[in-house]
Amino acid sequence: MAFSADELRVLRRALASALHPAPLADEDVQDCLRLADSVDEAVREAGRLRTFLLADLARYREALPGSAAGYLELLQDALAAGYDPRPEDLAALRTLRSHPVGAAVLRRCQTLAEHSVRTRLAGRAVRTGSRAPAGAPTPRTRLHALPGGRAAADEPKPQHKPREKPQQEPQPKAPAPGERPVPKPSEVFPPRRKPVPPPEQLAAG
């Protein structure tokens, strides 16, 4: 896409206004709108030319090998315009290996096809993120038993014994009427008292 000198001046004013916002004159606004319309029309025209070129390329490819010269020329124009060679183009070029131009175009198309495949795979890997492929082995993890469940139901439950009450010392029963009470040990065996020295020893001391 090429711009004329007038269109470049309009484009420059539009970029300057985008970087440093300022009110534009009505004439400048109209110039920007006309430039935008021209760019849109050029994009649509490029799309129409691309469609026509690809249709013409398919017709020449179907007419091989008699249309080898025209097919190779159209294919090179399409590659220069950003065309990605298709599998049918690679198959057609393999039949033209004996042609010097066909061999060179085949090598170029193989390089472009490999680059296109790598780009698509890289984009797919970025979209999927860190997810592992479907057939990739997953790292082994240890399984820890959790409380409860079937295993816990199968295990014998510990039997809780009833808490034993502390044995209380038997209290002496009250003597029945007419029954002699049992004497206490202190009553049967009175405590021994220390012997008192005689008064003579106390006076001498």
Side-chain angles (χ1 to χ4, degrees), residues 180-194:
R180 187 177 180 181
V182 179
K184 296 181 180 180
S186 60
E187 296 175 354
V188 177
F189 304 99
R192 299 180 59 184
R193 297 180 181 180
K194 294 181 179 181

Side-chain angles (χ1 to χ4, degrees), residues 95-174:
T95 63
L96 301 175
R97 287 177 179 175
S98 58
H99 197 288
V101 179
V105 176
L106 175 60
R107 289 192 296 269
R108 182 181 177 186
C109 288
Q110 287 176 339
T111 302
L112 292 175
E114 292 176 1
H115 179 73
S116 179
V117 170
R118 291 195 188 98
T119 303
R120 286 197 298 270
L121 293 178
R124 187 179 304 172
V126 170
R127 287 193 299 270
T128 54
S130 60
R131 291 183 298 177
T138 56
R140 296 183 178 179
T141 57
R142 287 186 174 182
L143 298 179
H144 301 280
L146 299 178
R150 185 174 179 181
D154 295 340
E155 294 179 358
K157 297 182 179 180
Q159 297 180 357
H160 297 284
K161 295 182 179 181
R163 184 179 297 177
E164 298 180 356
K165 297 182 180 180
Q167 297 181 358
Q168 298 179 356
E169 296 181 357
Q171 298 180 357
K173 297 181 180 181

Side-chain angles (χ1 to χ4, degrees), residues 40-84:
D40 292 341
E41 181 60 29
V43 171
R44 289 191 292 269
E45 181 65 21
R48 288 192 292 267
L49 289 176
R50 179 181 178 84
T51 302
F52 175 78
L53 176 62
L54 295 181
D56 208 11
L57 181 64
R59 287 193 294 269
Y60 273 80
R61 186 172 57 238
E62 293 173 358
L64 289 174
S67 60
Y71 171 70
L72 292 174
E73 183 179 356
L74 287 175
L75 182 57
Q76 291 181 84
D77 292 341
L79 295 176
Y83 172 71
D84 284 334

